Amino acid sequence: MTQASIQVGSSPQVQYLLRIADSCLILGQRLGEWCGHGPILEEDLALANMALDLIGQARALLTHAAHLDGQGHDEDQLAFLREERQYLNPVLMELPRGDFAFTQVRNFAVATWLQLLWGRLASSSDAEVAAIAAKAVKESRYHQQHAADWVVRLGDGTDESAARMREALAQLWPLFNELFDADAVDAAAVAQGLGPAWSELRADWQAQMDEVLADATLAHPKPSAYVSAGRRGVHSEHMGHLLAEMQYLQRAYPGGKW
Amino acid sequence: MSLPSSSACGRLEAAWELLRQIPDPEVPVISLCELGIVRDLRVREDGVEGLEVVLTPTYSGCPATELIQDDVRTALSAFGAVQVTLQRAPAWTTDWITAEGREKLRVYGIAPPGPAAAGAEQPIRLVHRASLSQLACPRCGSLQTEKLSAFGSTACKALYRCLSCREPFEHFKPI
């Protein structure tokens, strides 16, 4: 590792945008790991395409966050040169890709959440955020629809696929709480008109999850009080490994371009 | 290539003519103009000799975005230094693909998109694989077609199969 790390400022505005940008970036990285490993060619392509959408959304938000941060950084420096505690994605995004059931349950939960979030951000007081969101909300609808199809197909499928879906739901359910946790960064975003408090999205998210899980003949697990803390930079043991792989090129070959 | 005319108006007209000939790198049968991503072409306002082209990107993650910018710069380099400006708002929609562009897509074997606006507020619906798609096959026109996958070779397309002529085809998704 020869390239020094960068630090971003602590303004609530930048933190709020990084939480969303990092969610897209890290989940995009995880979905990209399916490339060449999908159960069928069509699904290999679909997961890679969704990863590209997510990374594209992350690029736009990181560029804007770097601009607001005002230290002259660019999207690549923010994506590749921060240290683990400076990434603000919920822990949910960084968990290893797991099996196909795990990937589809997570994709459905996140796409449903992002679709609600982009929808609200489309009327952000920040014109650039609003423009990014207006584009992204249309993409997230396809992601949500696609994952919903798989949740139903696998949940209401064979004994094996249904068992794997129940297992994935049980593992993931406690991690969803962080998507709706309220704190001072969210409160500042609401005060500025930048975007919604994530807690405001919970009821709509729950309703859409319930509808699809019912179609999939899947019961949702019991609520959990556990709240992970990725949004404050406190990550799981998986994050460091993900970053080591994701950052390797920029650390070893500083400033390398495509 | 015709030489740039001396009058600003003639120069712009000549530049538009060149711009209209640049194909989309992923779907080369239609041009960037027919795809509806060229928002404006004007003389640069920053004092540098050359033209400014305003583009609206299609998908956030479309890997062709950079290539398209390079193609535009190369095509218009005879007019001086080209400035490419990306304009996100309003977001690109397949409704901006021209009628000629749609027909070219169909002849090429890609079923063109239906209206995007109509789908914007639809709730998530569960489409079972056995159900028919209502999409016309671009080769034989049959409505007996089925969706194979929501994502094709690029994010903007889905994979379908015609049950009448048995040919697979792609569909440019409305967005």
Side-chain angles (χ1 to χ4, degrees), chain A residues 135 138-139 141-142 145, chain B residues 58 60 92 122 125-126 174:
Chain A
K135 162 104 287 177
K138 301 201 285 182
E139 295 159 354
R141 287 183 59 79
Y142 277 108
Q145 175 73 59
Chain B
T58 53
S60 300
W92 179 80
Q122 281 176 15
R125 73 211 130 71
L126 302 167

Side-chain angles (χ1 to χ4, degrees), chain A residues 200-216:
Chain A
E200 295 169 26
L201 308 174
R202 182 154 216 157
D204 287 344
W205 178 87
Q206 188 73 55
Q208 295 189 27
M209 287 294 286
D210 286 351
E211 187 187 337
V212 170
L213 290 181
D215 269 315

Side-chain angles (χ1 to χ4, degrees), chain B residues 111-163:
Chain B
E121 294 304 323
Q122 281 176 15
I124 291 302
R125 73 211 130 71
L126 302 167
V127 180
H128 296 287
R129 279 169 76 85
S131 63
L132 292 178
S133 72
Q134 300 291 312
L135 192 70
C137 169
R139 296 179 196 278
C140 73
S142 166
L143 283 171
Q144 304 287 306
T145 59
E146 64 173 354
K147 183 164 83 175
L148 295 177
S149 174
F151 294 84
S153 57
T154 59
C156 57
K157 286 174 283 174
L159 287 174
Y160 280 76
R161 172 167 56 196
C162 177
L163 299 173

